[in-house]
Amino acid sequence: MRLAIFGGTGRAGRVVVEQALRDGHEVSALTRDPSRIGPHAQLRVVGGDVRDLAAVTLTLKGADAIISTLGRRRRGPDVCTEGIGTVLAGNGPRRLIILSNYGVAESRDRSAYVTASWLLERAVLRDKEQMEALVRDSDTQWTVIRAPVLTNGPRTGSYRTGTDLRLSFTAKVSRADLADFMLTVLRENAYPRRAVVITS
């Protein structure tokens, strides 16, 4: 497939790009610093900001699907909400796989994990929650993947997923397994217009 990937130079995004290329996909990746990614014969790098419609539209050109691993820093703009808003305005493909966080929207329960997450990362989770609302209101075939703490572990292929999973305080998953699941969801067209949780 031809994939438009946003957030591809982040810690999770780099792994997604690497696995997508290894699996034989063509990738178009938008980044503010093109020197941080590539080169690869199947990779097209677009320089620019995800909040710039012209750069986003160029990244989306010819794509079959979109993957976003955008993430907000504790101090900074709401890049997930603003970025996905721009992506949705870019007239790209309808299939959309979005990385979010466990503990937002209907997964915001009273558990110790979620309570601590909101205490420590309120701005980050608020941005993800607003992003999810935009995606849900769109006419795309979206899948939201809610992840716990991400680690640098290997790609094992051994992880749990589900729409009703409830995570414990120690929940985590490797970025490599997250990437594996995102690409599997895309390949199998799984969980259309659903939010799904992943954990090791």
Side-chain angles (χ1 to χ4, degrees), residues 7-200:
T9 55
R11 286 184 293 176
R14 284 197 299 267
V15 181
V16 174
V17 170
E18 290 168 1
Q19 286 197 25
L21 293 171
R22 195 177 302 126
D23 290 352
H25 300 292
E26 297 179 28
V27 173
S28 178
L30 176 64
T31 174
R32 288 177 294 179
D33 184 0
S35 67
R36 294 181 60 191
I37 188 170
H40 190 284
Q42 296 291 93
L43 173 65
R44 179 170 66 103
V45 180
V46 178
D49 192 285
V50 71
R51 294 165 294 180
D52 177 2
L53 182 58
V56 167
T57 301
L58 182 59
T59 307
L60 293 171
K61 185 177 181 181
D64 300 310
I66 302 166
I67 294 178
S68 171
T69 58
L70 291 171
R72 183 194 191 278
R73 297 181 179 179
R74 290 185 182 180
R75 296 182 180 180
D78 288 340
V79 67
C80 297
T81 304
E82 295 173 13
I84 290 303
T86 308
V87 169
L88 291 173
N91 295 317
R94 297 188 68 246
R95 189 63 172 121
L96 181 61
I97 312 294
I98 299 284
L99 174 61
S100 189
N101 287 52
Y102 182 77
V104 303
E106 73 276 6
S107 68
R108 186 176 179 179
D109 56 31
R110 297 178 181 273
S111 66
Y113 178 95
V114 172
T115 300
S117 295
W118 276 90
L119 285 173
L120 297 172
E121 303 282 355
R122 176 171 295 275
V124 173
L125 296 181
R126 185 188 64 238
D127 186 22
K128 293 285 191 179
E129 200 161 66
Q130 292 170 344
M131 174 195 71
E132 284 197 21
L134 284 180
V135 170
R136 287 173 181 272
D137 287 342
S138 74
D139 64 354
T140 60
Q141 283 294 100
W142 53 266
T143 299
V144 168
I145 298 177
R146 295 186 178 138
V149 172
L150 299 177
T151 72
N152 292 323
R155 180 182 188 177
T156 68
S158 179
Y159 46 81
R160 294 183 295 133
T161 62
T163 56
D164 297 318
L165 283 182
R166 290 292 177 259
L167 302 188
S168 70
F169 200 78
T170 58
K172 59 185 178 181
V173 71
S174 72
R175 293 178 179 87
D177 275 340
L178 170 67
D180 179 84
F181 182 55
M182 295 184 88
L183 292 168
T184 298
V185 167
L186 185 61
R187 183 177 63 252
E188 298 180 355
N189 197 28
Y191 299 105
R193 300 186 67 83
R194 304 288 299 278
V196 57
V197 178
I198 181 173
T199 188
S200 60

